[in-house]
Amino acid sequence: MNEKTIQQMKQLRLHGMHRAFETTMELNGTGTDYTNDELIAYLVQCEWDDRHNRRIERLTRSARFRYAAVMEAIDYRPSRELDKNLVQRLGSCDFIKKKENILITGSTGVGKSYLASAIGHQACSMGRKVMYFNTAKLFTMLKTSKADGSYLKQVNKLEKQDLLILDDFGLKPLDNINRHALMEIIEDRHGQRSTIIASQLPVPKWHDIIGEKTLADAILDRLVHTAHRIDIKGESMRRKLKNKN
């Protein structure tokens, strides 16, 4: 009877439940350490936990983060001038519910990408859909998608993400195609979804990088006014790690 029940659980893809049931039978043979209500509650909880964990794994893989970053590992040493209270509030991902943005700036290697990725990982753990992109690679992908006819599909996919992370923004000025692509992405997400942008350049210089005054004004107007701004100070964390090694 138990073997048949386990096989049926497997066929129904109740993976967490069948593993918990097998373990229970192995430990006490009959499950008599539980009342009927307790056993059912235990099996259902194990199935819920298993599905929740697998969903987080899928979301994390789909996000394609640059770093396996966690909020607990963020360095708050005074020289970085990071507002710990602000970062921890952002780690609650309430900004996603409010459809707000985050703009992270700082010089090379200070940990902008890590911070953005840590917040992204936190969002995945809460069941949010996230995508991480190096900005230049995103624009290259979008140009390619125009050639093969999948551009609208790619833009629609970006629009549906609860959180979009654009890293290394502004390493070189945008051409006309990339400028309009960025406008389309930001316009689609404005007031609907959240975006994190990490850049070596301070926000006032983004206008020149985007180029074409009218579009730059429109893009920044949609980004900046609903954004939390973090400017990380200090020397390169990569240089510190290299010197330590």
Side-chain angles (χ1 to χ4, degrees):
M1 177 68 73
N2 288 340
E3 183 60 32
K4 181 179 179 182
T5 300
I6 289 171
Q7 291 303 317
Q8 289 174 332
M9 287 178 178
K10 289 181 179 179
Q11 291 174 11
L12 291 170
R13 299 183 179 180
L14 301 173
H15 304 299
M17 188 176 288
H18 87 70
R19 284 195 294 268
F21 188 68
E22 281 183 323
T23 301
T24 301
M25 293 304 104
E26 289 171 2
L27 290 176
N28 57 41
T30 62
T32 52
D33 285 355
Y34 294 98
T35 65
N36 290 339
D37 289 346
E38 288 172 341
L39 181 59
I40 291 172
Y42 170 66
L43 295 178
V44 170
Q45 183 64 51
C46 288
E47 180 62 28
W48 191 94
D49 290 342
D50 182 72
R51 293 191 181 198
H52 177 69
N53 291 335
R54 283 189 283 124
R55 173 171 168 75
I56 291 174
E57 289 175 4
R58 287 195 303 271
L59 290 170
T60 302
R61 284 197 305 270
S62 178
R64 299 181 180 180
F65 292 110
R66 181 176 180 181
Y67 298 105
V70 293
M71 298 295 295
E72 293 77 13
I74 293 172
D75 189 338
Y76 293 102
R77 70 186 63 186
S79 61
R80 305 188 76 206
E81 298 185 20
L82 266 179
D83 185 337
K84 187 174 183 178
N85 288 330
L86 172 60
V87 172
Q88 290 182 337
R89 285 201 307 274
L90 296 176
S92 72
C93 294
D94 192 50
F95 76 96
I96 297 178
K97 296 179 185 177
K98 296 178 180 179
K99 316 296 190 296
E100 296 170 340
N101 303 318
I102 303 176
L103 310 181
I104 305 173
T105 55
S107 58
T108 302
V110 294
K112 303 180 299 296
S113 301
Y114 190 93
L115 176 57
S117 296
I119 296 172
H121 276 281
Q122 193 76 356
C124 287
S125 73
M126 296 179 180
R128 298 288 190 173
K129 292 186 290 184
V130 181
M131 290 197 78
Y132 170 98
F133 284 99
N134 170 283
T135 305
K137 291 181 179 179
L138 171 62
F139 287 146
T140 298
M141 182 269 286
L142 291 175
K143 282 183 177 178
T144 302
S145 69
K146 283 194 172 184
D148 64 23
S150 63
Y151 178 79
L152 289 179
K153 179 181 177 181
Q154 296 295 341
V155 170
N156 288 337
K157 185 176 181 181
L158 294 174
E159 181 186 355
K160 293 176 182 178
Q161 304 305 309
D162 297 311
L163 176 61
L164 176 65
I165 301 174
L166 300 181
D167 197 7
D168 290 328
F169 174 77
L171 292 183
K172 61 181 181 178
L174 303 187
D175 62 23
N176 191 51
I177 294 175
N178 292 342
R179 190 181 303 124
H180 281 85
L182 179 62
M183 180 65 209
E184 187 168 2
I185 292 168
I186 298 304
E187 173 63 24
D188 287 344
R189 300 183 61 76
H190 178 58
Q192 303 297 322
R193 300 285 191 272
S194 293
T195 304
I196 296 178
I197 296 183
S199 175
Q200 295 180 22
L201 298 175
V203 174
K205 292 189 177 181
W206 291 9
H207 197 283
D208 293 336
I209 288 296
I210 295 170
E212 209 285 296
K213 184 179 184 304
T214 302
L215 275 180
D217 286 344
I219 291 169
L220 293 177
D221 181 68
R222 287 159 175 76
L223 276 175
V224 174
H225 296 308
T226 58
H228 302 273
R229 293 168 68 167
I230 301 174
D231 186 30
I232 307 177
K233 305 293 186 181
E235 62 180 292
S236 170
M237 302 295 287
R238 287 193 286 268
R239 188 180 302 117
K240 284 186 176 182
L241 180 61
K242 181 180 179 180
N243 292 337
K244 182 179 179 181
N245 291 337

